Structures are given as C-alpha cells and as structure tokens.
Amino acid sequence: MSLNLRRTLCGLMAALGIALMMPLAVNVRRISAELESDPTAVGWMLDAAQTEWLSQATGLFLLGVLISAGFLYLALSTGYGKSWRPRRNGTSQCGRCGAPLQAGLAHCPGCDQRLTW
C-alpha cells in the first residue's frame, strides 16, 4: 500500500470519527438552553427518553474522539520511509539510487532518501 493511500485512508477514518461527534455537538445548544432556563431542574435529564438519547449521543461522541484521535495519529506518524545504509566499496554510494555520497549526510542528494550511517 502506498504512503499516500495509507494517509488518505487514515484521514478518511479520522473524518468518520469527527462525524460521529456531530450529534452531541449539534445538540449542545439545546442542552445548555435547558440548563440556563433553570440550573436546578436537571430532572429532564432523568426522563427515560432524554437519558437514552443523551447516553447514545455521549457514547457516539466518545467513540468518535477515540477513532479520530487514533487515526489522526496514524496519519501523521505513518510514512517515514526506511533508512538506507550507504554502500562502502571505496567511495560511499546510496544504497537505493547509487549516487555518490559524502560522509555524514542525512539525505541522499539524488533521491532524497534518509540515510543511516
């Protein structure tokens, strides 16, 4: 699987996680309006229909946070290619493209591959 495809898939899964957070985020205004009208009247949250809806929305929100955080981490940390060791037969050469190298370079000037000395 190519690096761009892997990052795209991880980004799409992170977008799915963000979409799962939307039901609670959209209805936060409704919840805050209920609490602003009478802060001591939290009995509406104990109603069976409200409790079921609130617990489902909260569960989806937490699942969305976990999915989006995990896949965003994967998308950002994935894709650092393996380092190549230079070949040393007299002069140092890149193990990938064969370009001549000076000692201590971090990247090959020919193919921009990371090098491990």
Side-chain angles (χ1 to χ4, degrees):
M1 183 182 310
S2 72
L3 177 63
N4 289 333
L5 179 63
R6 189 178 308 155
R7 284 186 178 166
T8 301
L9 290 177
C10 288
L12 289 174
M13 291 300 291
L16 172 69
I18 291 171
L20 288 175
M21 292 188 280
M22 287 299 116
L24 184 65
V26 167
N27 288 306
V28 164
R29 296 183 106 189
R30 183 177 70 145
I31 296 170
S32 65
E34 289 283 340
L35 289 176
E36 283 178 7
S37 64
D38 187 10
T40 59
V42 292
W44 69 273
M45 284 209 238
L46 299 176
D47 183 28
Q50 294 296 331
T51 304
E52 182 180 346
W53 173 83
L54 194 58
S55 65
Q56 286 177 352
T58 304
L60 278 176
F61 185 84
L62 293 175
L63 181 66
V65 166
L66 289 174
I67 289 174
S68 64
F71 279 103
L72 278 175
Y73 174 77
L74 280 175
L76 294 175
S77 65
T78 297
Y80 294 104
K82 277 185 159 181
S83 299
W84 291 68
R85 292 192 180 275
R87 291 189 298 249
R88 295 187 183 194
N89 297 339
T91 61
S92 298
Q93 296 177 336
C94 176
R96 183 177 181 195
C97 69
L101 300 173
Q102 297 175 352
L105 288 176
H107 294 275
C108 172
C111 63
D112 202 36
Q113 178 64 41
R114 254 188 335 167
L115 301 170
T116 301
W117 291 89

